[in-house]
PDB file of all heavy atoms in Angstrom:
ATOM      1  N   ARG A  72     242.457-137.636  -1.308  1.00 90.00           N
ATOM      2  CA  ARG A  72     242.470-139.093  -1.399  1.00 90.00           C
ATOM      3  C   ARG A  72     243.854-139.649  -1.088  1.00 90.00           C
ATOM      4  O   ARG A  72     243.995-140.621  -0.339  1.00 90.00           O
ATOM      5  CB  ARG A  72     242.008-139.516  -2.790  1.00 90.00           C
ATOM      6  CG  ARG A  72     241.971-141.013  -2.999  1.00 90.00           C
ATOM      7  CD  ARG A  72     241.276-141.368  -4.294  1.00 90.00           C
ATOM      8  NE  ARG A  72     241.946-140.818  -5.451  1.00 90.00           N
ATOM      9  CZ  ARG A  72     243.024-141.348  -6.025  1.00 90.00           C
ATOM     10  NH1 ARG A  72     243.573-142.440  -5.515  1.00 90.00           N
ATOM     11  NH2 ARG A  72     243.563-140.802  -7.089  1.00 90.00           N
ATOM     12  N   ARG A  73     244.896-139.044  -1.651  1.00 90.00           N
ATOM     13  CA  ARG A  73     246.252-139.503  -1.398  1.00 90.00           C
ATOM     14  C   ARG A  73     246.663-139.278   0.059  1.00 90.00           C
ATOM     15  O   ARG A  73     247.358-140.098   0.651  1.00 90.00           O
ATOM     16  CB  ARG A  73     247.227-138.765  -2.326  1.00 90.00           C
ATOM     17  CG  ARG A  73     246.988-138.985  -3.803  1.00 90.00           C
ATOM     18  CD  ARG A  73     247.362-140.356  -4.254  1.00 90.00           C
ATOM     19  NE  ARG A  73     248.790-140.606  -4.174  1.00 90.00           N
ATOM     20  CZ  ARG A  73     249.381-141.711  -4.617  1.00 90.00           C
ATOM     21  NH1 ARG A  73     248.639-142.677  -5.154  1.00 90.00           N
ATOM     22  NH2 ARG A  73     250.677-141.866  -4.509  1.00 90.00           N
ATOM     23  N   LYS A  74     246.200-138.176   0.626  1.00 90.00           N
ATOM     24  CA  LYS A  74     246.533-137.868   2.011  1.00 90.00           C
ATOM     25  C   LYS A  74     245.983-138.923   2.960  1.00 90.00           C
ATOM     26  O   LYS A  74     246.618-139.270   3.960  1.00 90.00           O
ATOM     27  CB  LYS A  74     245.984-136.489   2.376  1.00 90.00           C
ATOM     28  CG  LYS A  74     246.300-136.038   3.786  1.00 90.00           C
ATOM     29  CD  LYS A  74     245.737-134.657   4.059  1.00 90.00           C
ATOM     30  CE  LYS A  74     246.034-134.212   5.481  1.00 90.00           C
ATOM     31  NZ  LYS A  74     245.442-132.870   5.771  1.00 90.00           N
ATOM     32  N   GLU A  75     244.799-139.451   2.662  1.00 89.00           N
ATOM     33  CA  GLU A  75     244.180-140.467   3.508  1.00 89.00           C
ATOM     34  C   GLU A  75     244.647-141.878   3.142  1.00 89.00           C
ATOM     35  O   GLU A  75     244.178-142.849   3.738  1.00 89.00           O
ATOM     36  CB  GLU A  75     242.648-140.385   3.389  1.00 89.00           C
ATOM     37  CG  GLU A  75     242.062-139.096   3.916  1.00 89.00           C
ATOM     38  CD  GLU A  75     242.286-138.918   5.410  1.00 89.00           C
ATOM     39  OE1 GLU A  75     242.287-139.947   6.125  1.00 89.00           O
ATOM     40  OE2 GLU A  75     242.467-137.778   5.855  1.00 89.00           O
ATOM     41  N   GLY A  76     245.522-141.978   2.160  1.00 92.00           N
ATOM     42  CA  GLY A  76     246.081-143.285   1.809  1.00 92.00           C
ATOM     43  C   GLY A  76     245.195-144.158   0.965  1.00 92.00           C
ATOM     44  O   GLY A  76     245.395-145.382   0.904  1.00 92.00           O
ATOM     45  N   TYR A  77     244.202-143.585   0.291  1.00 94.00           N
ATOM     46  CA  TYR A  77     243.309-144.387  -0.546  1.00 94.00           C
ATOM     47  C   TYR A  77     243.978-144.718  -1.869  1.00 94.00           C
ATOM     48  O   TYR A  77     244.524-143.847  -2.542  1.00 94.00           O
ATOM     49  CB  TYR A  77     241.996-143.638  -0.800  1.00 94.00           C
ATOM     50  CG  TYR A  77     241.107-143.571   0.416  1.00 94.00           C
ATOM     51  CD1 TYR A  77     240.961-142.379   1.130  1.00 94.00           C
ATOM     52  CD2 TYR A  77     240.422-144.694   0.864  1.00 94.00           C
ATOM     53  CE1 TYR A  77     240.156-142.319   2.255  1.00 94.00           C
ATOM     54  CE2 TYR A  77     239.609-144.641   1.990  1.00 94.00           C
ATOM     55  CZ  TYR A  77     239.477-143.453   2.677  1.00 94.00           C
ATOM     56  OH  TYR A  77     238.682-143.390   3.788  1.00 94.00           O
ATOM     57  N   ARG A  78     243.916-146.008  -2.241  1.00 94.00           N
ATOM     58  CA  ARG A  78     244.514-146.513  -3.470  1.00 94.00           C
ATOM     59  C   ARG A  78     243.467-147.294  -4.258  1.00 94.00           C
ATOM     60  O   ARG A  78     242.414-147.650  -3.715  1.00 94.00           O
ATOM     61  CB  ARG A  78     245.706-147.428  -3.143  1.00 94.00           C
ATOM     62  CG  ARG A  78     246.825-146.750  -2.373  1.00 94.00           C
ATOM     63  CD  ARG A  78     247.558-145.727  -3.235  1.00 94.00           C
ATOM     64  NE  ARG A  78     248.729-145.176  -2.562  1.00 94.00           N
ATOM     65  CZ  ARG A  78     248.730-144.094  -1.797  1.00 94.00           C
ATOM     66  NH1 ARG A  78     247.577-143.452  -1.581  1.00 94.00           N
ATOM     67  NH2 ARG A  78     249.826-143.645  -1.226  1.00 94.00           N
ATOM     68  N   PRO A  79     243.733-147.574  -5.524  1.00 94.00           N
ATOM     69  CA  PRO A  79     242.783-148.388  -6.309  1.00 94.00           C
ATOM     70  C   PRO A  79     242.527-149.738  -5.659  1.00 94.00           C
ATOM     71  O   PRO A  79     243.377-150.295  -4.949  1.00 94.00           O
ATOM     72  CB  PRO A  79     243.495-148.543  -7.661  1.00 94.00           C
ATOM     73  CG  PRO A  79     244.375-147.340  -7.763  1.00 94.00           C
ATOM     74  CD  PRO A  79     244.845-147.068  -6.365  1.00 94.00           C
ATOM     75  N   LEU A  80     241.355-150.282  -5.900  1.00 94.00           N
ATOM     76  CA  LEU A  80     240.957-151.549  -5.310  1.00 94.00           C
ATOM     77  C   LEU A  80     241.790-152.699  -5.862  1.00 94.00           C
ATOM     78  O   LEU A  80     242.206-152.678  -7.026  1.00 94.00           O
ATOM     79  CB  LEU A  80     239.478-151.819  -5.591  1.00 94.00           C
ATOM     80  CG  LEU A  80     238.469-150.790  -5.069  1.00 94.00           C
ATOM     81  CD1 LEU A  80     237.091-151.085  -5.638  1.00 94.00           C
ATOM     82  CD2 LEU A  80     238.430-150.804  -3.542  1.00 94.00           C
ATOM     83  N   ASN A  81     242.024-153.700  -5.017  1.00 92.00           N
ATOM     84  CA  ASN A  81     242.623-154.924  -5.538  1.00 92.00           C
ATOM     85  C   ASN A  81     241.549-155.732  -6.267  1.00 92.00           C
ATOM     86  O   ASN A  81     240.364-155.377  -6.247  1.00 92.00           O
ATOM     87  CB  ASN A  81     243.276-155.745  -4.421  1.00 92.00           C
ATOM     88  CG  ASN A  81     242.298-156.085  -3.306  1.00 92.00           C
ATOM     89  OD1 ASN A  81     241.139-156.398  -3.544  1.00 92.00           O
ATOM     90  ND2 ASN A  81     242.773-156.017  -2.056  1.00 92.00           N
ATOM     91  N   SER A  82     241.931-156.802  -6.887  1.00 93.00           N
ATOM     92  CA  SER A  82     241.010-157.540  -7.761  1.00 93.00           C
ATOM     93  C   SER A  82     239.815-158.107  -6.995  1.00 93.00           C
ATOM     94  O   SER A  82     238.668-158.031  -7.464  1.00 93.00           O
ATOM     95  CB  SER A  82     241.762-158.663  -8.481  1.00 93.00           C
ATOM     96  OG  SER A  82     242.371-159.543  -7.543  1.00 93.00           O
ATOM     97  N   SER A  83     240.048-158.668  -5.812  1.00 93.00           N
ATOM     98  CA  SER A  83     238.941-159.278  -5.065  1.00 93.00           C
ATOM     99  C   SER A  83     237.945-158.222  -4.580  1.00 93.00           C
ATOM    100  O   SER A  83     236.723-158.421  -4.671  1.00 93.00           O
ATOM    101  CB  SER A  83     239.486-160.069  -3.879  1.00 93.00           C
ATOM    102  OG  SER A  83     240.228-159.227  -3.002  1.00 93.00           O
ATOM    103  N   ASP A  84     238.454-157.107  -4.065  1.00 94.00           N
ATOM    104  CA  ASP A  84     237.559-156.033  -3.621  1.00 94.00           C
ATOM    105  C   ASP A  84     236.792-155.449  -4.801  1.00 94.00           C
ATOM    106  O   ASP A  84     235.598-155.132  -4.682  1.00 94.00           O
ATOM    107  CB  ASP A  84     238.361-154.929  -2.934  1.00 94.00           C
ATOM    108  CG  ASP A  84     238.855-155.343  -1.555  1.00 94.00           C
ATOM    109  OD1 ASP A  84     238.214-156.204  -0.935  1.00 94.00           O
ATOM    110  OD2 ASP A  84     239.886-154.800  -1.113  1.00 94.00           O
ATOM    111  N   ARG A  85     237.474-155.293  -5.926  1.00 94.00           N
ATOM    112  CA  ARG A  85     236.808-154.722  -7.092  1.00 94.00           C
ATOM    113  C   ARG A  85     235.681-155.626  -7.587  1.00 94.00           C
ATOM    114  O   ARG A  85     234.584-155.151  -7.905  1.00 94.00           O
ATOM    115  CB  ARG A  85     237.824-154.496  -8.218  1.00 94.00           C
ATOM    116  CG  ARG A  85     237.207-153.799  -9.438  1.00 94.00           C
ATOM    117  CD  ARG A  85     238.232-153.410 -10.468  1.00 94.00           C
ATOM    118  NE  ARG A  85     238.914-154.580 -11.030  1.00 94.00           N
ATOM    119  CZ  ARG A  85     240.151-154.946 -10.722  1.00 94.00           C
ATOM    120  NH1 ARG A  85     240.860-154.245  -9.842  1.00 94.00           N
ATOM    121  NH2 ARG A  85     240.699-156.011 -11.271  1.00 94.00           N
TER     122      ARG A  85
END
Side-chain angles (χ1 to χ4, degrees):
R72 180 170 61 80
R73 299 288 293 186
K74 182 179 179 182
E75 295 296 326
Y77 288 106
R78 300 291 186 270
L80 300 170
N81 56 40
S82 58
S83 59
D84 287 334
R85 184 172 63 255

